[in-house]
Amino acid sequence: RRAQVEAAMRWLAEHDAAVLDERGNPGGWPSMVELVAGALFGAASVHVLDFHAREGVERSMTVPWPDLPALARMPVAVLVDGGTASAAESLAMLLSTTGRGLVVGARTAGAANPGAWFDAGGGVWAFVPTGMPIDPRTGAGWEGVGVPLDAEVDPAEAERVAIARLRAMR
């Protein structure tokens, strides 16, 4: 998928603004957040989050893209809704808390903490969180609360509102 992201970012660099549509995106891998976000921050590596688990804390950082400086200056909006979860929320949270992008739409799923099913015995299974991502700028996660919104609107109107806000920024 890296080659697809690279091609998309090179195409995007030829434009004036970006609208990332994460509505209905259930998430994915933190490494993809690091790659996509890295293009939007340019040459500097940015602290995405700290992942807290029993084994310790793992720091997530963006992957620098020094060869596409236009992307680092480009206005960005991300569209979200109740189906935006996990790693998709991580990207929206990063853009929000760094002030790098506008988050437009409806409350996200608030599904930050991964976990696993454990056999509690007697035919009972329990889902137990095994880690927790924390935003280094706020000291908080988005589990159960979702990502802060810059514009809370019906998800069907999110693209129109985001484009209007980006145009007003020019």
PDB file of all heavy atoms in Angstrom, residues 115-129:
ATOM      1  N   GLY A 115      -7.670  -4.559  22.220  1.00  0.00           N
ATOM      2  CA  GLY A 115      -7.767  -5.542  23.289  1.00  0.00           C
ATOM      3  C   GLY A 115      -7.817  -6.949  22.745  1.00  0.00           C
ATOM      4  O   GLY A 115      -7.622  -7.175  21.549  1.00  0.00           O
ATOM      5  N   ALA A 116      -8.094  -7.873  23.627  1.00  0.00           N
ATOM      6  CA  ALA A 116      -8.173  -9.277  23.251  1.00  0.00           C
ATOM      7  C   ALA A 116      -9.225  -9.972  24.123  1.00  0.00           C
ATOM      8  O   ALA A 116      -9.556  -9.499  25.208  1.00  0.00           O
ATOM      9  CB  ALA A 116      -6.812  -9.950  23.445  1.00  0.00           C
ATOM     10  N   TRP A 117      -9.731 -11.088  23.618  1.00  0.00           N
ATOM     11  CA  TRP A 117     -10.684 -11.897  24.370  1.00  0.00           C
ATOM     12  C   TRP A 117      -9.918 -12.881  25.243  1.00  0.00           C
ATOM     13  O   TRP A 117      -8.978 -13.526  24.782  1.00  0.00           O
ATOM     14  CB  TRP A 117     -11.608 -12.647  23.413  1.00  0.00           C
ATOM     15  CG  TRP A 117     -12.593 -11.745  22.747  1.00  0.00           C
ATOM     16  CD1 TRP A 117     -12.481 -11.189  21.510  1.00  0.00           C
ATOM     17  CD2 TRP A 117     -13.818 -11.281  23.287  1.00  0.00           C
ATOM     18  NE1 TRP A 117     -13.576 -10.401  21.244  1.00  0.00           N
ATOM     19  CE2 TRP A 117     -14.415 -10.442  22.322  1.00  0.00           C
ATOM     20  CE3 TRP A 117     -14.493 -11.483  24.498  1.00  0.00           C
ATOM     21  CZ2 TRP A 117     -15.629  -9.818  22.527  1.00  0.00           C
ATOM     22  CZ3 TRP A 117     -15.704 -10.866  24.700  1.00  0.00           C
ATOM     23  CH2 TRP A 117     -16.265 -10.038  23.722  1.00  0.00           C
ATOM     24  N   PHE A 118     -10.320 -12.970  26.498  1.00  0.00           N
ATOM     25  CA  PHE A 118      -9.685 -13.880  27.439  1.00  0.00           C
ATOM     26  C   PHE A 118     -10.741 -14.812  28.016  1.00  0.00           C
ATOM     27  O   PHE A 118     -11.848 -14.377  28.363  1.00  0.00           O
ATOM     28  CB  PHE A 118      -9.012 -13.091  28.576  1.00  0.00           C
ATOM     29  CG  PHE A 118      -7.842 -12.274  28.118  1.00  0.00           C
ATOM     30  CD1 PHE A 118      -8.009 -10.947  27.709  1.00  0.00           C
ATOM     31  CD2 PHE A 118      -6.567 -12.831  28.081  1.00  0.00           C
ATOM     32  CE1 PHE A 118      -6.926 -10.193  27.285  1.00  0.00           C
ATOM     33  CE2 PHE A 118      -5.478 -12.073  27.656  1.00  0.00           C
ATOM     34  CZ  PHE A 118      -5.647 -10.760  27.254  1.00  0.00           C
ATOM     35  N   ASP A 119     -10.359 -16.096  28.137  1.00  0.00           N
ATOM     36  CA  ASP A 119     -11.240 -17.106  28.711  1.00  0.00           C
ATOM     37  C   ASP A 119     -11.267 -16.917  30.226  1.00  0.00           C
ATOM     38  O   ASP A 119     -10.246 -17.062  30.902  1.00  0.00           O
ATOM     39  CB  ASP A 119     -10.715 -18.496  28.351  1.00  0.00           C
ATOM     40  CG  ASP A 119     -11.625 -19.623  28.818  1.00  0.00           C
ATOM     41  OD1 ASP A 119     -12.588 -19.369  29.578  1.00  0.00           O
ATOM     42  OD2 ASP A 119     -11.367 -20.769  28.414  1.00  0.00           O
ATOM     43  N   ALA A 120     -12.431 -16.558  30.757  1.00  0.00           N
ATOM     44  CA  ALA A 120     -12.581 -16.346  32.202  1.00  0.00           C
ATOM     45  C   ALA A 120     -13.024 -17.628  32.908  1.00  0.00           C
ATOM     46  O   ALA A 120     -13.192 -17.630  34.124  1.00  0.00           O
ATOM     47  CB  ALA A 120     -13.587 -15.227  32.462  1.00  0.00           C
ATOM     48  N   GLY A 121     -13.199 -18.692  32.148  1.00  0.00           N
ATOM     49  CA  GLY A 121     -13.614 -19.971  32.726  1.00  0.00           C
ATOM     50  C   GLY A 121     -15.119 -20.133  32.744  1.00  0.00           C
ATOM     51  O   GLY A 121     -15.872 -19.155  32.682  1.00  0.00           O
ATOM     52  N   GLY A 122     -15.568 -21.354  32.795  1.00  0.00           N
ATOM     53  CA  GLY A 122     -17.006 -21.634  32.870  1.00  0.00           C
ATOM     54  C   GLY A 122     -17.773 -21.183  31.648  1.00  0.00           C
ATOM     55  O   GLY A 122     -18.953 -20.862  31.750  1.00  0.00           O
ATOM     56  N   GLY A 123     -17.114 -21.133  30.501  1.00  0.00           N
ATOM     57  CA  GLY A 123     -17.776 -20.705  29.263  1.00  0.00           C
ATOM     58  C   GLY A 123     -17.918 -19.200  29.124  1.00  0.00           C
ATOM     59  O   GLY A 123     -18.597 -18.707  28.233  1.00  0.00           O
ATOM     60  N   VAL A 124     -17.289 -18.448  30.020  1.00  0.00           N
ATOM     61  CA  VAL A 124     -17.371 -16.982  29.984  1.00  0.00           C
ATOM     62  C   VAL A 124     -16.078 -16.419  29.383  1.00  0.00           C
ATOM     63  O   VAL A 124     -14.975 -16.814  29.772  1.00  0.00           O
ATOM     64  CB  VAL A 124     -17.586 -16.408  31.405  1.00  0.00           C
ATOM     65  CG1 VAL A 124     -17.561 -14.891  31.375  1.00  0.00           C
ATOM     66  CG2 VAL A 124     -18.886 -16.926  31.986  1.00  0.00           C
ATOM     67  N   TRP A 125     -16.237 -15.508  28.463  1.00  0.00           N
ATOM     68  CA  TRP A 125     -15.100 -14.822  27.841  1.00  0.00           C
ATOM     69  C   TRP A 125     -15.221 -13.335  28.132  1.00  0.00           C
ATOM     70  O   TRP A 125     -16.332 -12.803  28.197  1.00  0.00           O
ATOM     71  CB  TRP A 125     -15.085 -15.054  26.326  1.00  0.00           C
ATOM     72  CG  TRP A 125     -14.674 -16.446  25.973  1.00  0.00           C
ATOM     73  CD1 TRP A 125     -15.450 -17.569  26.016  1.00  0.00           C
ATOM     74  CD2 TRP A 125     -13.392 -16.858  25.556  1.00  0.00           C
ATOM     75  NE1 TRP A 125     -14.725 -18.662  25.646  1.00  0.00           N
ATOM     76  CE2 TRP A 125     -13.445 -18.255  25.346  1.00  0.00           C
ATOM     77  CE3 TRP A 125     -12.197 -16.201  25.321  1.00  0.00           C
ATOM     78  CZ2 TRP A 125     -12.353 -18.989  24.926  1.00  0.00           C
ATOM     79  CZ3 TRP A 125     -11.099 -16.940  24.893  1.00  0.00           C
ATOM     80  CH2 TRP A 125     -11.187 -18.323  24.715  1.00  0.00           C
ATOM     81  N   ALA A 126     -14.102 -12.680  28.306  1.00  0.00           N
ATOM     82  CA  ALA A 126     -14.102 -11.239  28.593  1.00  0.00           C
ATOM     83  C   ALA A 126     -13.162 -10.523  27.617  1.00  0.00           C
ATOM     84  O   ALA A 126     -12.050 -10.999  27.367  1.00  0.00           O
ATOM     85  CB  ALA A 126     -13.645 -10.979  30.022  1.00  0.00           C
ATOM     86  N   PHE A 127     -13.638  -9.423  27.078  1.00  0.00           N
ATOM     87  CA  PHE A 127     -12.782  -8.584  26.234  1.00  0.00           C
ATOM     88  C   PHE A 127     -12.071  -7.593  27.150  1.00  0.00           C
ATOM     89  O   PHE A 127     -12.726  -6.835  27.880  1.00  0.00           O
ATOM     90  CB  PHE A 127     -13.607  -7.830  25.189  1.00  0.00           C
ATOM     91  CG  PHE A 127     -12.754  -7.025  24.246  1.00  0.00           C
ATOM     92  CD1 PHE A 127     -12.137  -7.634  23.162  1.00  0.00           C
ATOM     93  CD2 PHE A 127     -12.553  -5.669  24.442  1.00  0.00           C
ATOM     94  CE1 PHE A 127     -11.338  -6.901  22.294  1.00  0.00           C
ATOM     95  CE2 PHE A 127     -11.760  -4.925  23.591  1.00  0.00           C
ATOM     96  CZ  PHE A 127     -11.149  -5.550  22.503  1.00  0.00           C
ATOM     97  N   VAL A 128     -10.750  -7.604  27.111  1.00  0.00           N
ATOM     98  CA  VAL A 128      -9.956  -6.766  28.003  1.00  0.00           C
ATOM     99  C   VAL A 128      -9.025  -5.868  27.174  1.00  0.00           C
ATOM    100  O   VAL A 128      -8.286  -6.375  26.328  1.00  0.00           O
ATOM    101  CB  VAL A 128      -9.109  -7.638  28.970  1.00  0.00           C
ATOM    102  CG1 VAL A 128      -8.254  -6.772  29.878  1.00  0.00           C
ATOM    103  CG2 VAL A 128     -10.008  -8.561  29.773  1.00  0.00           C
ATOM    104  N   PRO A 129      -9.077  -4.558  27.402  1.00  0.00           N
ATOM    105  CA  PRO A 129      -8.137  -3.675  26.692  1.00  0.00           C
ATOM    106  C   PRO A 129      -6.696  -4.051  27.037  1.00  0.00           C
ATOM    107  O   PRO A 129      -6.384  -4.358  28.183  1.00  0.00           O
ATOM    108  CB  PRO A 129      -8.472  -2.289  27.230  1.00  0.00           C
ATOM    109  CG  PRO A 129      -9.873  -2.398  27.728  1.00  0.00           C
ATOM    110  CD  PRO A 129     -10.001  -3.819  28.237  1.00  0.00           C
TER     111      PRO A 129
END
